[in-house]
Amino acid sequence: MSEVLIPGYSLRQGSRLDRALLLKFVYRTYKEQFPNQDLSHLTQTVEQYFSPQTPLWWVEQLHPDGSISSPVGCLWLGNAIDQADGERTAHIFLLYVAPEHRKQGIGSALVVRGEEWALQRGDRKISLQVFTNNQPALNLYQKLGYQPQSLLMQKILS
């Protein structure tokens, strides 16, 4: 079953059968940020974390003839524990919109859908990780009211 997300696009909840498609979207996301990186480990990430407790939604384009495209965006949610207070929080594992469909409100609508899911199950917070060089994503999240809570720091050891 699908519902209209924004004009011209529908939202459909994914299922366990979408594992391969989810992996494709996870791969596309990280390939944009790290084009020269070996990303084969992402298969294991999806295998480990994709479950009935980590819902997935797909965005499909609606065409004037009534047909629906293959997915152009997705939202994959999961769970985290806020280590400061021990509360379970919703966590955005993946938000992806194909480049040719960006700047149309799809990402914002997906984040709002994720927030609704979190509220329905009683979460008081939702978290995500965004790469510091991904300025469009940073702008989107800040526009939607997300604030930095911590800074993940990393050092390459040789």
Side-chain angles (χ1 to χ4, degrees), residues 42 49 115:
L42 294 174
Y49 293 105
E115 292 170 354

Side-chain angles (χ1 to χ4, degrees), residues 5-6 97 101-111 140 143:
L5 179 69
I6 58 172
V97 176
H101 295 274
R102 293 179 185 161
K103 300 270 186 200
Q104 298 182 53
I106 296 170
S108 295
L110 282 170
V111 171
L140 170 67
K143 178 183 88 172

Side-chain angles (χ1 to χ4, degrees), residues 16 19 42-51 54 76:
R16 303 275 292 148
R19 182 180 306 277
L42 294 174
T43 301
Q44 182 179 358
T45 300
V46 170
E47 286 296 320
Q48 183 173 356
Y49 293 105
F50 187 46
S51 75
T54 61
W76 181 27

Side-chain angles (χ1 to χ4, degrees), residues 50-109:
F50 187 46
S51 75
Q53 290 75 42
T54 61
L56 176 66
W57 286 271
W58 298 107
V59 175
E60 300 161 323
Q61 187 174 19
L62 302 170
H63 298 288
D65 66 3
S67 64
I68 297 174
S69 72
S70 58
V72 300
C74 73
L75 173 67
W76 181 27
L77 295 173
N79 305 294
I81 301 296
D82 184 326
Q83 297 304 306
D85 61 19
E87 273 190 57
R88 180 193 70 193
T89 67
H91 185 79
I92 297 174
F93 284 150
L94 177 70
L95 173 67
Y96 183 80
V97 176
E100 62 274 17
H101 295 274
R102 293 179 185 161
K103 300 270 186 200
Q104 298 182 53
I106 296 170
S108 295

Side-chain angles (χ1 to χ4, degrees), residues 29 57 63 114 129 140 149 154-156:
T29 300
W57 286 271
H63 298 288
Q129 177 181 322
L140 170 67
Q149 180 186 14
Q154 188 175 65
K155 177 181 179 181
I156 304 300

Side-chain angles (χ1 to χ4, degrees), residues 1-2 32 40 50 80 83 93 97-98 110 113 123 147:
M1 177 190 278
S2 66
E32 281 186 26
S40 59
F50 187 46
Q83 297 304 306
F93 284 150
V97 176
L110 282 170
R113 179 65 193 107
D123 291 338
Q147 301 289 321

